[in-house]
Amino acid sequence: GDLLRRLSQFALEDDYNLTFVLSPSPTQYNEALNLVASDCNTTANPNPREECDRFDLIVGDYYCNADRSLRVDFSPTWLRTTMSAIKLAEFEGKGITTLTELPQGRA
């Protein structure tokens, strides 16, 4: 919910009203990334162009590296919550469940 809500807010700031048509993606990161990569129909990415042109956006927890940066335009992080947990030693093992909580040091 948070991701789609934030994306809609960004679009409204530019006078766009978004409609989402969601569909499941492949379960493997690389297979899903191949669907939005710029190198379709190549040895590195054998997906036909039609497969890669089906999606405008794919949402995933990808880290950006040199190889991926050449194939996909990564957006900067803009979510306010996360599904992962962060543990920091200076907080004596307290769990930080959102990045918003991090500067406050609360669990």
Side-chain angles (χ1 to χ4, degrees):
D2 187 35
L3 182 131
L4 298 180
R5 190 172 32 259
R6 291 288 294 149
L7 190 55
S8 293
Q9 288 171 349
F10 287 139
L12 283 174
E13 290 172 9
D14 290 330
D15 295 322
Y16 289 98
N17 188 9
L18 295 182
T19 301
F20 297 100
V21 179
L22 304 178
S23 61
S25 71
T27 56
Q28 299 295 317
Y29 279 153
N30 286 335
E31 291 174 20
L33 189 74
N34 282 344
L35 293 177
V36 293
S38 61
D39 61 354
C40 277
N41 202 23
T42 66
T43 304
N45 182 0
N47 286 322
R49 174 64 52 201
E50 301 81 43
E51 284 295 303
C52 296
D53 289 341
R54 280 188 337 169
F55 300 102
D56 297 318
L57 171 74
I58 192 165
V59 177
D61 184 17
Y62 290 97
Y63 60 89
C64 184
N65 63 26
D67 292 336
R68 288 179 178 167
S69 293
L70 294 173
R71 303 178 63 220
V72 177
D73 290 328
F74 285 95
S75 66
T77 302
W78 44 266
L79 287 177
R80 297 179 193 266
T81 62
T82 181
M83 292 178 4
S84 61
I86 301 169
K87 299 270 185 183
L88 297 175
E90 60 261 31
F91 294 120
E92 299 175 356
K94 293 180 184 176
I96 306 296
T97 57
T98 68
L99 294 178
T100 305
E101 294 174 341
L102 188 59
Q104 300 158 358
R106 60 186 167 101

